[in-house]
Amino acid sequence: MNRRNFIFQSSGLALTAMATPSFAKFVPAKDKMDRIAMGTLLFRDRFKQTKPKGVETIKNELTLMDIPQHHRDMYGIKKIEFWSEHFESLDQGYLTELKKKIKAAKCELLDVQFDSSQFDKTGYDLSTSDEDKRRAGIDHVKRWMDGASFLGSKCVRVNPGGRAGRNPQGTVENCIKSFTELMPYAKSKNLTMITANHTGLELNADNHVAIIKGTPGLYTEPDFGNYNNVNIMYDNLAKIIPYAYIVSAKVGTFTNVDGKLEHTSYDFDKCVQLSESLGFKGNYMIAQWSGYQPDIDYEKVAAWTIEHVKANIK
């Protein structure tokens, strides 16, 4: 038994390569950097909307307008991701200027992550049994799809909902119903919908797979940093990686030892190796999440993560 088959079968996923969504979408990359993307999450402490509490003056402040050229100049990144928290509005004028910045930097907007924003804190829940709230959630997602599509984004990351302890009425069936209703709208906007193991029902990997299987055209965005339990995270990732369109190559906490960064949250290299062994050929989205570490240089965290992805992809 080869290594790939062993991983599939040991995770309850006795699947053939061509039977899973991720293998049909990608052509071989000419350069490893063509498979690496980066969003705004890693630099959230430099955005006024998401700066740490107690920080009055932001050093080297960023806005979405800066990100395309920043990522291109600093790291040679061509594919970028925007987080909804960092938008200043969805007005046509603002989006038009943002689109110009993407084009000027010769970048591609690969994904927009939908959570809330400073100008729209209503949030959404696609899993709720409250039909009025579910329909409001669908409308919320459509508004953000309109903005993402105008910017030329390839994907949108949408949360299923059902956050543990906050919505005990949320169900996988309602998630599937909502995503199925959204799919034609996404296609009309030339958008691929993806959903990460992020905040709700999908943090259970079996629920996540059930939502994907119940919604043709929907893909996962496996996130290395979101299971919060190193004892189960690799098995859970193995369940959802075969349905991936993007992989969130997220790092967590670092220590700084004699000027050298060391990642302490989990075995990041192992996560990339697992993705590759399962046949993932798409883009790795560089990200970071943990408590704010003022003694850590996040520019160096970005460079560390890029190099470790490059070292482990084929």
Side-chain angles (χ1 to χ4, degrees):
M1 182 182 295
N2 64 34
R3 184 167 180 247
R4 178 178 295 177
N5 287 339
F6 172 76
I7 292 174
F8 272 115
Q9 293 179 18
S10 66
S11 301
L13 295 173
L15 305 171
T16 62
M18 293 309 294
T20 59
S22 60
F23 298 100
K25 288 285 183 178
F26 308 104
V27 296
K30 295 179 180 179
D31 186 309
K32 287 185 177 183
M33 285 300 295
D34 292 337
R35 295 188 60 197
I36 297 176
M38 187 185 295
T40 59
L41 185 67
L42 191 154
F43 298 105
R44 63 194 175 279
D45 63 304
R46 291 169 61 180
F47 283 80
K48 64 182 180 181
Q49 300 96 324
T50 54
K51 67 179 178 63
K53 292 181 180 179
V55 172
E56 298 297 330
T57 303
I58 301 174
K59 184 179 180 181
N60 299 319
E61 184 175 349
L62 291 170
T63 71
L64 283 191
M65 297 290 180
D66 302 317
I67 288 298
Q69 200 64 54
H70 174 272
H71 285 13
R72 188 65 186 264
D73 290 346
M74 288 291 296
Y75 307 107
I77 293 286
K78 301 175 185 177
K79 298 179 181 180
I80 58 176
E81 176 185 71
F82 290 160
W83 185 22
S84 60
E85 289 281 3
H86 293 148
F87 280 75
E88 295 177 24
S89 80
L90 288 176
D91 293 343
Q92 191 76 11
Y94 174 78
L95 294 180
T96 296
E97 290 304 308
L98 192 52
K99 189 172 184 177
K100 289 179 181 177
K101 295 291 186 180
I102 297 169
K103 183 178 180 180
K106 297 181 180 179
C107 286
E108 174 189 358
L109 182 58
L110 183 58
D111 183 38
V112 176
Q113 298 179 311
F114 301 167
D115 292 321
S116 61
S117 67
Q118 295 296 312
F119 56 87
D120 184 359
K121 286 292 188 183
T122 56
Y124 63 100
D125 188 341
L126 301 181
S127 76
T128 179
S129 297
D130 183 320
E131 186 61 15
D132 289 340
K133 290 182 179 179
R134 193 182 71 84
R135 295 237 58 89
I138 288 174
D139 290 342
H140 175 95
V141 172
K142 285 182 176 179
R143 286 195 299 274
W144 278 93
M145 281 186 177
D146 290 343
S149 177
F150 178 81
L151 291 173
S153 185
K154 191 171 184 178
C155 299
V156 287
R157 191 270 274 146
V158 184
N159 296 320
R163 197 175 184 115
R166 299 189 184 185
N167 182 15
Q169 302 302 314
T171 67
V172 169
E173 290 74 21
N174 285 336
C175 292
I176 293 171
K177 182 179 180 181
S178 297
F179 277 121
T180 300
E181 290 180 29
L182 283 165
M183 190 60 67
Y185 197 79
K187 289 182 178 179
S188 74
K189 297 291 181 177
N190 296 314
L191 292 167
T192 296
M193 272 199 301
I194 59 178
T195 184
N197 47 313
H198 186 215
T199 60
L201 292 171
E202 80 287 357
L203 283 174
N204 177 303
D206 294 326
N207 284 346
H208 203 168
V209 171
I211 293 167
I212 297 300
K213 286 185 174 181
T215 315
L218 181 67
Y219 297 88
T220 63
E221 182 188 16
D223 189 313
F224 295 164
N226 278 6
Y227 283 124
N228 300 321
N229 186 336
V230 294
N231 295 318
I232 63 170
M233 64 176 289
Y234 305 109
D235 287 342
N236 282 343
L237 285 170
K239 290 181 179 181
I240 65 174
I241 287 169
Y243 303 93
Y245 199 90
I246 294 172
V247 164
S248 180
K250 183 183 285 180
V251 291
T253 301
F254 283 84
T255 59
N256 192 335
V257 180
D258 296 327
K260 181 180 179 181
L261 289 176
E262 295 184 7
H263 185 246
T264 60
S265 297
Y266 39 84
D267 190 336
F268 179 82
D269 291 347
K270 181 178 179 178
C271 292
V272 180
Q273 292 162 9
L274 176 63
S275 302
E276 291 292 297
S277 72
L278 290 173
F280 180 68
K281 299 298 181 186
N283 291 116
Y284 289 90
M285 185 66 66
I286 304 299
Q288 185 277 340
W289 188 268
S290 69
Y292 177 54
Q293 296 181 265
D295 58 329
I296 296 297
D297 185 335
Y298 285 89
E299 297 280 10
K300 291 182 179 179
V301 167
W304 183 100
T305 311
I306 290 170
E307 289 308 309
H308 278 254
V309 171
K310 286 174 64 178
N312 287 289
I313 59 178
K314 301 173 183 177

